[in-house]
Amino acid sequence: MSNKNDGQPVIDKVWNLFSSITFAIVVFSLISLTSIVGTVIEQRVEPEKNIKLLTKFVGESFAPTAYRVLDSLGFMNMYQSWWFIALLLIFAANIVICSLDRLPKIWNMIKEPIKPVPQDVLNAMPIKREILLKTGIDKAKEAVEAELKKIGYKASVSQEPDGIQLYAEKGRYSRLGVYATHLSILLILIGAVVGIFFGFNGFLNLLEGTSSDVAYIGREKEIPLGFQIKCDDFDVQFYGKTDRPKEFSSWLTIIDNGREVVKKQIEVNAPLKYKGITFYQSSYGFWANENALFKFSLVSSDGKREDVMLKFGESFTMPGTNITGKISDFSPALKMDASGKPYTYAEMMHNPAVYITFSENGEFKYRTWILSRYPQSWRIPDGVVEFKDFWGSQYTGLQVRRDPGVWIVYLGSIIMTVGLYASFFMSHARIWVMLKDDKKNTKVSVSASINKNRVSLEEKIEKVIRSLSH
Amino acid sequence: MESSQFFGISSVAYILAMVAYISYLVFKNSTVGIVASTITYVAFVSQTMAFLLRWREFHDLSQMGWIRSIPLTNLYESLVFFVWCLILAYLIIELKYKNRSFGAFITPIAGMALAFIDISGMAKDIQPLVPALQSNWLLVHVIMSFIAYANFSIAFATGIMYLALTSENRTSGIYIFWTVILGIFLAILLAMGIDFLTFKVAVKTPDAFIKSHLFKATFRSDSGFMVMLSYIGAAAFMFILWRFGYIFKKIIASFNVSPDLLDDLTYKNIAIGFPIFTLGGLVFGAIWADQAWGRYWSWDPKETWSLILWFVYAFYLHARLLRGWRGPKIAAVAVIGFFCMIFTYLGVNLLLSGLHAYGSG
């Protein structure tokens, strides 16, 4: 691969280029360096953000120009740009050709089991030890065989003109590790391509109680699901009294051909999969609407209890009394300021609260805020209004994905694990032991070679020699 | 005793160990060496205790089961765990090669991490987990990533030692390379120390610290004179290192550390770190992301930088195994890899935004 003649056909020149390690290193570097730009420039955000960022580097006057130049080169969405994809394809081609270029030689080595070799080859081995045993050659052969077995090698025997040769090897197939690793990178890239072309990645915001048979990509594009998905309920749990969510989950129902086929509670890290489409819990939000229902449990002063469900603006009567309450205001996240005045501090339902106006026989009595997360606010002069739930005004944010390539990616990951293990933690070791008659004694010469981790083999052979000499 | 007390003991002990190892290197007194090792063992045991106790505290608090309550969920905990992995790897090397001279090059990395914790005033309390982090993958993903980080850090230390030991004259590129790298490393440590003395910082988050305090006493001072002085000081510091760098060479050589051993250690650490990083960092990270976010790869800055880091070490391995690169060239790649690692680990969380942002708390 290194002799570059001018007379070579173009295809050979391209082959040589792609199979060279220098080329691979150039591709590694290009992918890395351009990727760095992509981590500094925020991807797929509004232009103002990156113009502001560029101002820091090139100053205010040049920032818009710099932005235009970078934008036209695709840096604002660079991981999807044609040239970055091209780099990844070149990387893939490089891996394929490098592997094909080197595989035949290695394959021959793997195909051919170890054979007895002549003395001059043995002399050239990187590891050599010798010892003289005071036994006959047959006894010596048995001893060597036993010792090799102890270190995990099963020896074959060959009668040579000048003596007996024992030979054994281990880890022949570990030489394939590096090719498995290369193959796995290819599989992962193929899996990604399959996912891009035959899958989709969309989202769906479902209000509690509603259903949909499409998901969305961006603002416009609708993707038909082929079935209906309904959000029965949504709930967030917080850590203590903070607004840090501990867990949020949706209760979903899949309706296929008018039949309820799946009912499942999903949460972050625990998605729902149906007919190849996966629904991930990704976000949530508040969506004020008049159909939402407040669920209260009313308890009067003398202990009578009644559960009610009301819409905004509707009224209830405390059980067994003439006292009525009307929901006159609502806040998704209520807080009191320093002077005790309530205000809404977030768009999310961090702390939903209702403002209830109480009347007795139609006469105004008092008004109070009832906060769902603060039971002490439920107590009123005429009993308790337990704020149980507020249903139909929260939506669950679902990430909706179909990725038929993901199993290829996973397969690639498994092969990569095996390949890396074989490449770094296994080695191909070969041992030849020549036994020669030497006046009733036996001369034992051990020769060995290994493609990596030489020290460990040397230690093993040392052990064999030590045992034999006892 | 509580975990924080054990952490306190171990932090102080590691700093003492660093001083002891450096003294040992300078004075070559074997008693000092034994003291250095003893302090390190005490610190390590204490830190292990602290880690296990904190694990239990987190477990009792979060009620999420043992696997999910491993205390590795914010920057403070991860830095502490990084130090633990690093020292573990170092102790294995010290025992195996019966040579204490590496300590003087590895314990300063631990010292720098611990100093950064104290200077930046990052939150040390146990914080509840956001939903995305509540997964069994947390344990394997984070532990394996940090084992690899520790391997890469050791490869950096042995790489620098290799360069110091083999570079011949002061005008050679390699000599300038290692003295400047070591100079930058020590200048940053020094500047952070000056920040600490000047401000006695008490900020809430590392973000706020970097914006308002980092290098404010020196390189980013409001006074132009101070800025100039800092750069001159740093340059002078590097010049001194460059001028007297050969002393390092003599010292390392006097400990019977051969270039071959250093080269072998650098390679071995990368050969162990690389597959662990690939599997634990990239593959398990992707599987987890697939479950939590519905995407196995989203070119988030942390992912992208991990990939860059992966390419750098893949480059090291290919250059060495296929091209037969040996000597200073390959050691320099290991040194550069470490800087990519630091950026992947800290720089991304502190300077860039993205999905992994919770690591910056």
Side-chain angles (χ1 to χ4, degrees):
Chain A
M1 69 164 228
S2 50
N3 54 332
K4 285 178 180 141
N5 291 326
D6 285 341
Q8 276 179 326
V10 179
I11 184 98
D12 283 4
K13 279 188 188 165
V14 172
W15 181 275
N16 284 339
L17 175 70
F18 272 74
S19 66
S20 84
I21 190 77
T22 318
F23 183 73
I25 284 167
V26 170
V27 177
F28 277 17
S29 313
L30 276 175
I31 294 178
S32 302
L33 291 173
T34 51
S35 294
I36 292 175
V37 180
T39 62
V40 176
I41 293 175
E42 265 194 78
Q43 299 292 298
R44 290 194 281 187
V45 291
E46 56 275 29
E48 292 73 28
K49 243 180 164 171
N50 280 323
I51 293 178
K52 211 175 138 200
L53 178 86
L54 286 167
T55 310
K56 282 189 198 160
F57 291 100
V58 295
E60 208 162 322
S61 46
F62 284 109
T65 321
Y67 179 84
R68 266 197 303 279
V69 171
L70 287 171
D71 188 29
S72 63
L73 292 172
F75 274 102
M76 299 305 144
N77 186 10
M78 67 157 275
Y79 302 112
Q80 269 83 41
S81 70
W82 65 268
W83 53 264
F84 192 76
I85 306 276
L87 272 179
L88 291 179
L89 288 177
I90 292 171
F91 175 53
N94 182 221
I95 289 174
V96 174
I97 293 175
C98 266
S99 303
L100 288 179
D101 201 61
R102 289 166 176 79
L103 192 56
K105 208 177 111 203
I106 299 289
W107 185 246
N108 280 334
M109 203 179 267
I110 288 165
K111 227 172 41 186
E112 291 269 304
I114 185 171
K115 279 186 302 208
V117 291
Q119 191 61 47
D120 56 323
V121 179
L122 290 183
N123 289 342
M125 287 293 162
I127 304 172
K128 285 201 300 285
R129 290 299 308 260
E130 265 187 16
I131 186 174
L132 193 71
L133 295 185
K134 293 189 173 73
T135 53
I137 192 160
D138 290 329
K139 272 254 174 73
K141 175 183 156 257
E142 273 168 33
V144 170
E145 263 183 323
E147 284 309 319
L148 284 176
K149 206 171 172 188
K150 269 191 209 160
I151 60 164
Y153 289 79
K154 198 185 170 315
S156 307
V157 186
S158 153
Q159 194 69 50
E160 299 291 302
D162 48 351
I164 298 174
Q165 199 175 94
L166 297 170
Y167 53 96
E169 69 178 334
K170 241 170 93 170
R172 187 145 46 100
Y173 287 95
S174 75
R175 284 186 187 267
L176 281 176
V178 59
Y179 301 98
T181 310
H182 284 176
L183 174 73
S184 72
I185 295 172
L186 270 177
L187 281 175
I188 290 170
L189 288 172
I190 290 169
V193 170
V194 168
I196 289 166
F197 282 101
F198 301 102
F200 67 86
N201 208 329
F203 71 94
L204 176 62
N205 289 340
L206 266 186
L207 194 65
E208 286 167 310
T210 64
S211 63
S212 168
D213 55 5
V214 291
Y216 299 88
I217 295 177
R219 272 162 205 274
E220 315 274 291
K221 204 172 161 202
E222 285 185 4
I223 301 275
L225 298 173
F227 52 83
Q228 279 211 316
I229 179 149
K230 181 161 171 265
C231 174
D232 298 320
D233 198 2
F234 174 81
D235 191 33
V236 196
Q237 279 159 23
F238 297 95
Y239 281 106
K241 294 290 176 206
T242 67
D243 290 340
R244 237 181 126 94
K246 185 178 182 183
E247 193 54 89
F248 43 104
S249 39
S250 309
W251 283 260
L252 301 176
T253 304
I254 303 270
I255 303 152
D256 201 354
N257 279 324
R259 273 185 353 156
E260 285 190 5
V261 281
V262 182
K263 254 185 181 312
K264 195 186 174 193
Q265 176 195 352
I266 68 160
E267 51 192 45
V268 184
N269 275 310
L272 159 68
K273 195 167 185 181
Y274 183 72
K275 285 196 170 167
I277 299 178
T278 317
F279 298 88
Y280 300 86
Q281 181 73 66
S282 88
S283 63
Y284 58 93
F286 169 65
W287 192 345
N289 81 85
E290 59 218 27
N291 293 322
L293 291 173
F294 297 90
K295 290 187 190 176
F296 298 123
S297 206
L298 309 170
V299 187
S300 67
S301 307
D302 49 3
K304 282 191 194 126
R305 180 181 283 273
E306 189 188 340
D307 291 342
V308 291
M309 275 196 345
L310 304 160
K311 286 184 184 172
F312 187 85
E314 290 183 339
S315 300
F316 58 83
T317 309
M318 292 299 284
T321 67
N322 296 325
I323 297 162
T324 57
K326 184 176 179 229
I327 305 168
S328 47
D329 202 356
F330 170 77
S331 162
L334 191 80
K335 229 181 207 166
M336 306 289 174
D337 66 10
S339 63
K341 226 179 109 196
Y343 69 101
T344 297
Y345 68 93
E347 294 284 297
M348 305 287 270
M349 284 237 286
H350 286 324
N351 187 20
V354 281
Y355 198 44
I356 302 183
T357 309
F358 288 94
S359 312
E360 189 165 19
N361 300 323
E363 294 276 315
F364 169 78
K365 221 176 161 197
Y366 47 84
R367 276 196 277 256
T368 184
W369 279 102
I370 294 190
L371 292 79
S372 74
R373 285 177 68 197
Y374 291 85
Q376 63 267 34
S377 71
W378 297 354
R379 191 158 284 284
I380 55 163
D382 296 288
V384 182
V385 179
E386 295 177 4
F387 191 170
K388 289 290 189 196
D389 197 6
F390 183 41
W391 185 85
S393 63
Q394 242 178 332
Y395 65 84
T396 175
L398 302 173
Q399 171 118 17
V400 186
R401 187 182 65 149
R402 186 190 17 230
D403 191 344
V406 75
W407 70 270
I408 306 177
V409 173
Y410 280 7
L411 180 70
S413 302
I414 293 168
I415 294 177
M416 182 178 274
T417 309
V418 175
L420 285 173
Y421 184 83
S423 312
F424 289 102
F425 302 117
M426 287 167 74
S427 42
H428 181 202
R430 291 179 289 180
I431 303 176
W432 292 266
V433 184
M434 194 70 207
L435 305 171
K436 282 179 191 167
D437 230 350
D438 188 7
K439 298 167 208 153
K440 292 205 177 155
N441 294 336
T442 311
K443 203 176 106 191
V444 179
S445 333
V446 182
S447 311
S449 79
I450 189 162
N451 62 341
K452 58 199 158 223
N453 202 4
R454 181 167 155 179
V455 180
S456 73
L457 184 63
E458 278 172 340
E459 279 166 4
K460 276 183 185 157
I461 288 174
E462 193 55 45
K463 204 177 137 201
V464 170
I465 298 284
R466 238 181 297 126
S467 303
L468 286 173
S469 61
H470 285 314
Chain B
M1 270 170 97
E2 280 180 31
S3 67
S4 55
Q5 286 164 298
F6 279 107
F7 273 129
I9 294 172
S10 67
S11 300
V12 173
Y14 281 139
I15 303 284
L16 288 177
M18 174 176 96
V19 174
Y21 274 117
I22 293 172
S23 319
Y24 169 67
L25 202 66
V26 176
F27 301 116
K28 294 187 208 90
N29 179 323
S30 62
T31 318
V32 177
I34 293 166
V35 169
S37 296
T38 314
I39 299 174
T40 311
Y41 279 111
V42 170
F44 184 73
V45 170
S46 170
Q47 198 190 2
T48 311
M49 287 297 296
F51 182 76
L52 295 175
L53 278 174
R54 194 176 171 101
W55 196 334
R56 199 179 70 191
E57 285 160 21
F58 194 15
H59 170 259
D60 293 347
L61 195 80
S62 68
Q63 302 294 330
M64 284 186 306
W66 286 103
I67 292 175
R68 292 188 184 188
S69 38
I70 184 165
L72 283 178
T73 52
N74 57 30
L75 189 57
Y76 166 70
E77 288 169 345
S78 84
L79 272 168
V80 168
F81 186 67
F82 168 67
V83 169
W84 188 84
C85 291
L86 186 69
I87 298 295
L88 176 66
Y90 167 69
L91 288 175
I92 292 171
I93 290 174
E94 187 183 287
L95 284 176
K96 188 163 179 205
Y97 294 91
K98 298 186 177 51
N99 195 318
R100 294 202 170 92
S101 61
F102 304 109
F105 290 84
I106 292 165
T107 47
I109 301 175
M112 198 165 169
L114 293 169
F116 185 69
I117 290 174
D118 272 331
I119 297 166
S120 67
M122 60 185 66
K124 293 181 185 176
D125 51 334
I126 294 172
Q127 290 153 352
L129 284 186
V130 297
L133 286 182
Q134 294 168 21
S135 163
N136 293 346
W137 287 108
L138 174 75
L139 183 97
V140 271
H141 174 60
V142 179
I143 286 190
M144 288 178 79
S145 301
F146 277 97
I147 291 172
Y149 283 176
N151 282 123
F152 295 152
S153 306
I154 300 226
F156 162 74
T158 51
I160 282 275
M161 286 169 81
Y162 181 91
L163 294 176
L165 191 57
T166 54
S167 54
E168 282 304 327
N169 62 62
R170 279 200 286 270
T171 49
S172 73
I174 283 298
Y175 184 89
I176 294 169
F177 176 79
W178 80 260
T179 48
V180 167
I181 292 276
L182 201 62
I184 292 172
F185 190 77
L186 295 175
I188 290 173
L189 198 61
L190 216 61
M192 276 173 21
I194 296 172
D195 282 335
F196 183 58
L197 293 176
T198 318
F199 298 119
K200 303 250 184 319
V201 194
V203 282
K204 286 274 154 55
T205 65
D207 274 352
F209 166 71
I210 283 182
K211 284 209 183 77
S212 51
H213 292 293
L214 187 66
F215 304 141
K216 270 286 178 191
T218 49
F219 301 109
R220 288 168 63 212
S221 169
D222 292 329
S223 129
F225 175 71
M226 200 59 216
V227 175
M228 201 174 70
L229 201 69
S230 307
Y231 278 103
I232 293 173
F237 183 64
M238 264 177 243
F239 176 78
I240 293 169
L241 260 177
W242 172 79
R243 181 67 186 73
F244 298 104
Y246 64 88
I247 293 175
F248 276 103
K249 177 178 174 166
K250 276 193 190 152
I251 292 173
I252 297 168
S254 72
F255 278 91
N256 273 333
V257 179
S258 69
D260 281 348
L261 173 66
L262 291 171
D263 181 60
D264 187 53
L265 272 176
T266 310
Y267 169 71
K268 273 194 182 136
N269 273 289
I270 291 173
I272 293 169
F274 182 77
I276 293 178
F277 179 72
T278 312
L279 186 67
L282 295 175
V283 173
F284 289 166
I287 295 173
W288 185 11
D290 191 30
Q291 274 187 14
W293 299 323
R295 260 175 219 179
Y296 52 82
W297 191 266
S298 36
W299 294 105
D300 147 76
K302 191 90 171 177
E303 289 170 354
T304 311
W305 269 97
S306 302
L307 186 69
I308 293 168
L309 187 64
W310 189 78
F311 271 124
V312 172
Y313 287 109
F315 171 85
Y316 176 97
L317 293 165
H318 283 84
R320 187 188 166 98
L321 297 174
L322 284 162
R323 274 269 125 147
W325 279 24
R326 284 292 186 284
K329 266 200 296 190
I330 200 79
V333 178
V335 170
I336 292 166
F338 175 73
F339 282 87
C340 291
M341 185 208 100
I342 292 288
F343 196 82
T344 307
Y345 174 24
L346 296 174
V348 171
N349 295 66
L350 299 175
L351 304 176
L352 306 172
S353 58
L355 292 168
H356 277 82
Y358 36 71
S360 64

